[in-house]
Amino acid sequence: MTAEESIYQACILRFRPILMTTMAALLGGVPMMVGTGVGSEIRQPLGYAIVGGLALSQILTLYTTPVVYIYLDRLQTWMFGEKKQAASGEAAPAPAE
């Protein structure tokens, strides 16, 4: 399987769980960010940092991880030549379900 095909399959399998866990943590910080009341001026900056940091890291992770993977795969191909295919007599490992 090529690097692009591997990334596509990983996106199909892992995008929803990654997004769900990030959104759960992000939405947990929203009440702290928009809260009012006694002592809220101390907690609001922490809420902004949590929500902004999680949102930014989610966007960067979803876009940079596949790009880094592809560049590392190209670097490996450039340094060591073409990837070796499994021998015709050997069974290729089955993908995890």
Side-chain angles (χ1 to χ4, degrees), residues 84-92:
K84 295 180 181 178
Q85 298 294 327
S88 58
E90 297 176 4

Side-chain angles (χ1 to χ4, degrees), residues 4-94:
E4 289 83 7
E5 292 170 348
S6 299
I7 290 171
Y8 179 74
Q9 289 298 320
C11 288
I12 290 173
L13 292 175
R14 299 299 305 156
F15 177 71
R16 184 173 176 233
I18 290 170
L19 192 61
M20 286 172 55
T21 52
T22 302
M23 290 304 293
L26 189 140
L27 292 173
V30 169
M32 199 180 330
M33 184 178 78
V34 298
T36 60
V38 177
S40 65
E41 64 273 359
I42 301 296
R43 290 186 296 272
Q44 277 184 341
L46 178 61
Y48 285 124
I50 291 170
V51 171
L54 283 170
L56 182 66
S57 70
Q58 180 70 26
I59 291 169
L60 288 176
T61 300
L62 289 176
Y63 287 109
T64 59
T65 302
V67 171
V68 169
Y69 182 81
I70 287 175
Y71 281 134
L72 288 176
D73 183 61
R74 289 180 184 170
L75 178 67
Q76 178 185 0
T77 303
W78 177 73
M79 288 178 70
F80 302 111
E82 290 297 317
K83 296 179 197 147
K84 295 180 181 178
Q85 298 294 327
S88 58
E90 297 176 4

